[in-house]
Amino acid sequence: MAGMTISKLIQKKAAGEKITSLTAYDATFAKLFAQCGIDFMLVGDSLGNVVQGQTSTLPVTVEQIVYHTEAVRRGAPDAFVIADMPFMTCATPEQACLEAAKLMRAGANMVKLEGGEWLVDTIRMLVERSVPVCAHLGLMPQSVNVLGGYKVQGREQAMAENTVRQALAVQQAGAQMLVLECVPTELGELISSKLSIPVIGIGAGAKTDGQILVMHDMFGLNSDYIPKFVKNFLAETSDLTAAVQLYIQQVKDGSFPGPEHSFE
């Protein structure tokens, strides 16, 4: 785990080696994931749902992401850690720079922003100021009120073409990674093939460059609502470490996600 960098992640994509990732919110699980050899961790604003009990990610603040990023960094000093930019922290490029600086000081190696072409100037400004950026397209939880709920994106031809265009735009602006959420497998494969940066899927099929899951979902802890793209790895292993190792193994050998976890 020691010494993972964005350059090494890009090399993994080039070599056709699958990238593995999980969300992490505290030192204990960060340490466990690092010991298991996960490629990177995301301090996600999903903490609003799984840690705070919120109904969406919108209430999460930068200060809360800072707190959890510091905890994850203490648990995994050598890990590659990405921190989410919460709702409305990228309203202007200048504001995004100020908020991103807090996350980088807290121990993040990269920040993640939800959105496409409207963020091009923001991405460019962040990268120019030494803040590496991961973009996020497809289903964007911060935009749930605009999208009309949590549903698959990019099934229509025009929407799929738009998503490809936006992915190319954020890469051109300087983003060095892309998270692609809840899109058809074919679109996940297409975008991964068109981009030179790693494309990390969550509900985007098995043909993306890597996979990420919310850790609580991967352990089967969210029994009230289980998304189609989730698999409970703890149920097959009955041990936390073995569950993480199984997840890593199945992402790397291509058996997860299977067709039952993907959208057509």
Side-chain angles (χ1 to χ4, degrees):
M1 187 68 191
M4 181 56 70
T5 63
I6 186 59
S7 301
K8 290 178 183 176
L9 292 171
I10 291 171
Q11 286 167 12
K12 279 179 179 281
K13 174 190 171 96
E17 186 182 337
K18 294 290 187 185
I19 296 166
T20 60
S21 177
L22 288 166
T23 64
Y25 313 97
D26 65 32
T28 303
F29 278 102
K31 184 177 182 180
L32 170 66
F33 299 159
Q35 288 171 340
C36 289
I38 208 87
D39 289 320
F40 75 87
M41 300 176 215
L42 169 69
V43 181
D45 59 4
S46 48
L47 71 89
N49 303 85
V50 297
V51 177
Q52 299 175 343
Q54 309 280 8
T55 56
S56 76
T57 64
L58 272 58
V60 176
T61 65
V62 167
E63 287 69 31
Q64 289 163 350
I65 298 282
V66 163
Y67 172 88
H68 289 277
T69 301
E70 289 173 342
V72 166
R73 177 53 72 204
R74 285 191 286 267
D78 299 320
F80 191 86
V81 176
I82 303 178
D84 259 341
M85 296 280 285
F87 180 63
M88 287 300 284
T89 51
C90 297
T92 66
E94 293 77 13
Q95 181 192 11
C97 286
L98 292 173
E99 304 293 15
K102 298 174 186 175
L103 299 178
M104 297 296 286
R105 289 191 194 104
N109 299 103
M110 178 179 257
V111 300
K112 182 169 77 64
L113 331 176
E114 288 187 20
E117 287 165 314
W118 71 273
L119 277 171
V120 161
D121 290 341
T122 298
I123 294 170
R124 196 173 288 121
M125 186 179 278
L126 284 167
V127 173
E128 284 172 351
R129 285 152 184 78
S130 306
V131 178
V133 171
C134 174
H136 183 144
L137 291 169
L139 174 61
M140 295 174 283
Q142 291 176 15
S143 304
V144 64
N145 293 312
V146 175
L147 297 173
Y150 297 96
K151 52 190 180 184
V152 181
Q153 304 294 308
R155 278 195 163 133
E156 308 78 15
Q157 181 70 20
M159 182 66 80
E161 290 171 0
N162 180 53
T163 306
V164 172
R165 191 182 75 245
Q166 304 234 10
L168 289 166
V170 296
Q171 175 179 267
Q172 179 68 28
Q176 291 176 288
M177 197 186 301
L178 174 67
V179 167
L180 196 56
E181 182 167 356
C182 283
V183 301
T185 298
E186 191 177 329
L187 182 57
E189 181 177 12
L190 177 64
I191 290 174
S192 301
S193 70
K194 282 185 174 290
L195 268 56
S196 58
I197 61 175
V199 177
I200 310 300
I202 176 165
K207 301 299 180 75
T208 53
D209 302 309
Q211 301 291 328
I212 186 166
L213 283 178
V214 172
M215 56 165 274
H216 297 70
D217 290 341
M218 193 268 293
F219 290 132
L221 295 175
N222 288 339
S223 54
D224 50 342
Y225 170 67
I226 301 169
K228 175 183 168 75
F229 55 78
V230 166
K231 178 178 177 180
N232 180 352
F233 288 86
L234 188 58
E236 292 184 27
T237 55
S238 73
D239 172 76
L240 291 174
T241 300
V244 177
Q245 290 170 337
L246 181 64
Y247 167 70
I248 291 171
Q249 174 196 322
Q250 292 193 355
V251 170
K252 288 191 177 296
D253 68 21
S255 59
F256 177 81
E260 70 273 25
H261 309 113
S262 306
F263 302 103
E264 297 311 318

